[in-house]
Amino acid sequence: MIGKALGVVLAVSLVGCGATSYEPANSPRISLVRTDEGLAYVRDGRHFSTGVFGGGLVDAVTGNPQAESEARTAHSLTVGGFVCSLSALATVGAGVGLIATGHSTDTQTQVGIGLVAASLIPDIIASVLYANASGHSLDAINIYNDGVLRPPGAVPPMTAPAPVAPPATQ
């Protein structure tokens, strides 16, 4: 009975967590939408799945070398973050296992506590990698979108021009 009630509560709570209802206009610029399968990049009416490690972004920005480089960097950082997360999880699991099977004054318990504490290191590294990946993903999209608006070979503006002083009066 409790299982059914929990299932109903879960199903009701997930209502509204689905796809977005707005589809961006067909454009050479990249947009981000939520689909039934998850997040996707949209360009020229084509959907590029973000994938587990964000690899779809590389496909979405194809044609702009600088954006492609940022997308590949984001992908690599995401994979690195995932590997570090798995390492942290394995370290915590080993530590908890040792604690659960050891005695309170036992060396095994002390090693278990040390492993649980040590798991913070790869976990923090994973967080840093994920945060950096996000920035590179945004850079890839913005660089690509800016490139769509500029003619090939045009140099992007660096800053606004300095204001011109009014002519001196005599």
Side-chain angles (χ1 to χ4, degrees), residues 23-122:
E23 179 73 18
N26 194 356
S27 164
R29 294 175 56 92
I30 296 173
S31 300
L32 187 63
V33 297
R34 181 180 303 278
T35 67
D36 289 332
E37 293 80 35
L39 292 176
Y41 304 104
V42 180
R43 185 189 80 205
D44 293 324
R46 268 186 75 200
H47 284 237
F48 300 87
S49 171
T50 57
V52 176
F53 300 114
L57 182 57
V58 176
D59 296 330
V61 300
T62 296
N64 183 316
Q66 186 180 3
E68 289 174 20
S69 174
E70 291 290 334
R72 282 191 298 274
T73 299
H75 176 73
S76 296
L77 289 169
T78 302
V79 170
F82 180 75
V83 169
C84 286
S85 292
L86 287 180
S87 172
L89 184 62
T91 306
V92 163
V96 168
L98 288 172
I99 293 168
T101 59
H103 300 293
S104 60
T105 59
D106 190 76
T107 302
Q108 182 176 338
T109 300
Q110 293 172 359
V111 170
I113 292 169
L115 284 173
V116 170
S119 73
L120 289 174
I121 295 168

